[in-house]
Amino acid sequence: MPMTTEELLQILACPKCLGPLRALEENGALVGLACPECSVLYPVRDGIPIMLIEEALNLDSWNEKHPNAKERS
């Protein structure tokens, strides 16, 4: 059975600072896990979070390109 986003957020932490993550959705799909402390976004590809520091995207730049993305509540 696949894990829910809430379950993922309970067990995952930012690999860079070990802080909590926020889930971001676009058009109803989970697109990334954001670390507000590091200002990075770890993308989700094919439903799998890519939790590698080298793959992290700048959160501010990503937000500019994806204005419809919302934090999952």
Side-chain angles (χ1 to χ4, degrees):
M1 176 185 325
M3 294 184 84
T4 66
T5 301
E6 291 76 26
E7 290 172 323
L8 275 176
L9 292 173
Q10 289 178 2
I11 62 170
L12 292 178
C14 174
K16 190 173 181 181
C17 73
L18 303 178
L21 298 168
R22 300 180 299 150
L24 295 180
E25 285 186 346
E26 192 169 38
N27 300 322
L30 180 64
V31 293
L33 300 176
C35 176
E37 184 69 31
C38 295
S39 199
V40 297
L41 175 96
Y42 298 97
V44 172
R45 296 185 191 128
D46 297 324
I48 301 169
I50 310 301
M51 303 299 294
L52 300 170
I53 295 170
E54 306 83 41
E55 295 287 324
L57 307 170
N58 179 282
L59 185 57
D60 294 329
S61 296
W62 190 89
N63 283 332
E64 287 177 15
K65 294 177 185 174
H66 301 269
N68 295 326
K70 305 273 186 235
E71 185 173 335
R72 185 177 223 166
S73 48

